[in-house]
Coordinates of all heavy atoms in Angstrom, one line a residue:
D53 N -0.5 -16.4 -14.1 CA 0.4 -17.5 -14.0 C -0.3 -18.8 -13.8 O 0.0 -19.8 -14.5 CB 1.4 -17.3 -12.8 CG 2.5 -16.3 -13.1 OD1 2.6 -15.9 -14.3 OD2 3.1 -15.9 -12.1
S56 N -2.2 -19.9 -16.9 CA -1.3 -20.4 -18.0 C -1.2 -21.9 -17.9 O -0.8 -22.5 -18.9 CB 0.0 -19.7 -17.9 OG 0.9 -20.2 -16.9
H57 N -1.4 -22.5 -16.8 CA -1.3 -24.0 -16.7 C -2.6 -24.6 -17.0 O -2.7 -25.9 -17.1 CB -0.9 -24.4 -15.2 CG 0.6 -24.0 -15.0 ND1 1.6 -24.8 -15.4 CD2 1.1 -22.9 -14.4 CE1 2.7 -24.2 -15.0 NE2 2.5 -23.1 -14.5
V66 N 1.1 -15.9 -20.3 CA 2.5 -15.8 -19.9 C 3.0 -14.4 -20.2 O 3.6 -13.8 -19.3 CB 3.4 -16.9 -20.6 CG1 4.8 -16.7 -20.3 CG2 2.9 -18.3 -20.1
N121 N 12.1 -11.4 -11.1 CA 11.1 -12.4 -11.8 C 10.9 -11.9 -13.2 O 10.8 -12.7 -14.1 CB 9.8 -12.4 -11.0 CG 9.0 -13.7 -11.2 OD1 9.1 -14.3 -12.3 ND2 8.2 -14.0 -10.3
W124 N 13.9 -12.8 -15.3 CA 14.0 -14.2 -15.4 C 13.1 -14.6 -16.6 O 13.4 -15.4 -17.4 CB 13.6 -14.9 -14.1 CG 13.7 -16.3 -14.0 CD1 14.3 -17.2 -15.0 CD2 13.3 -17.2 -13.0 NE1 14.2 -18.5 -14.5 CE2 13.6 -18.5 -13.3 CE3 12.7 -16.9 -11.8 CZ2 13.3 -19.6 -12.5 CZ3 12.4 -18.0 -10.9 CH2 12.7 -19.3 -11.3
R125 N 11.9 -14.1 -16.5 CA 10.9 -14.4 -17.6 C 11.3 -13.9 -18.9 O 11.0 -14.5 -20.0 CB 9.5 -13.9 -17.2 CG 8.9 -14.5 -16.0 CD 7.7 -13.7 -15.4 NE 7.3 -14.2 -14.2 CZ 6.1 -14.8 -14.0 NH1 5.2 -14.9 -15.0 NH2 5.7 -15.3 -12.9
H129 N 12.3 -17.6 -21.4 CA 11.3 -18.6 -21.1 C 10.4 -18.8 -22.3 O 10.0 -17.9 -22.9 CB 10.5 -18.2 -19.9 CG 9.4 -19.1 -19.6 ND1 9.6 -20.4 -19.1 CD2 8.0 -18.9 -19.7 CE1 8.4 -20.9 -19.0 NE2 7.4 -20.1 -19.3
R130 N 10.1 -20.1 -22.6 CA 9.2 -20.4 -23.7 C 7.8 -20.3 -23.2 O 7.4 -21.2 -22.4 CB 9.5 -21.8 -24.2 CG 10.8 -21.9 -25.0 CD 11.0 -23.2 -25.7 NE 9.9 -24.1 -25.7 CZ 9.9 -25.3 -25.3 NH1 11.0 -25.9 -24.8 NH2 8.8 -26.1 -25.3
P131 N 7.0 -19.4 -23.7 CA 5.6 -19.2 -23.2 C 4.7 -20.3 -23.6 O 3.6 -20.4 -23.0 CB 5.2 -17.8 -23.8 CG 6.1 -17.6 -25.0 CD 7.4 -18.4 -24.7
T133 N 4.7 -23.3 -22.9 CA 4.6 -24.3 -21.9 C 4.0 -23.8 -20.6 O 3.9 -24.6 -19.6 CB 6.1 -24.9 -21.5 OG1 6.9 -23.8 -21.1 CG2 6.7 -25.5 -22.8
G134 N 3.6 -22.6 -20.5 CA 3.1 -22.0 -19.3 C 4.2 -21.5 -18.4 O 5.4 -21.8 -18.7
V135 N 3.9 -20.8 -17.4 CA 4.9 -20.2 -16.5 C 5.6 -21.3 -15.7 O 4.9 -22.2 -15.2 CB 4.2 -19.2 -15.5 CG1 5.2 -18.7 -14.5 CG2 3.7 -18.0 -16.3
G136 N 6.9 -21.3 -15.6 CA 7.6 -22.3 -14.8 C 7.3 -22.3 -13.4 O 6.9 -21.3 -12.8
G137 N 7.4 -23.4 -12.7 CA 7.1 -23.6 -11.3 C 7.9 -22.6 -10.4 O 7.3 -22.1 -9.4
G138 N 9.2 -22.4 -10.7 CA 10.0 -21.5 -9.9 C 9.5 -20.1 -10.0 O 9.4 -19.4 -9.0
M139 N 9.1 -19.7 -11.2 CA 8.6 -18.3 -11.4 C 7.3 -18.1 -10.7 O 7.1 -17.1 -10.1 CB 8.4 -18.0 -12.9 CG 9.7 -18.0 -13.7 SD 9.4 -17.9 -15.4 CE 10.9 -18.4 -16.1
L140 N 6.4 -19.1 -10.8 CA 5.1 -19.1 -10.1 C 5.3 -19.0 -8.6 O 4.7 -18.2 -7.9 CB 4.3 -20.3 -10.5 CG 2.8 -20.2 -10.1 CD1 1.9 -20.4 -11.3 CD2 2.6 -21.1 -9.0
A141 N 6.2 -19.8 -8.1 CA 6.5 -19.8 -6.6 C 7.1 -18.5 -6.2 O 6.7 -18.0 -5.1 CB 7.5 -21.0 -6.3
L142 N 8.0 -17.9 -7.0 CA 8.5 -16.6 -6.6 C 7.4 -15.5 -6.5 O 7.4 -14.7 -5.6 CB 9.6 -16.2 -7.6 CG 10.3 -14.8 -7.3 CD1 10.9 -14.8 -5.9 CD2 11.4 -14.6 -8.4
S143 N 6.5 -15.6 -7.5 CA 5.4 -14.6 -7.5 C 4.5 -14.8 -6.3 O 4.1 -13.9 -5.6 CB 4.5 -14.8 -8.8 OG 5.2 -14.3 -9.9

Side-chain angles (χ1 to χ4, degrees):
D53 283 349
S56 76
H57 290 276
V66 172
N121 201 334
W124 185 9
R125 291 165 188 248
H129 173 69
R130 288 189 10 234
T133 60
V135 172
M139 295 172 195
L140 190 130
L142 180 56
S143 286

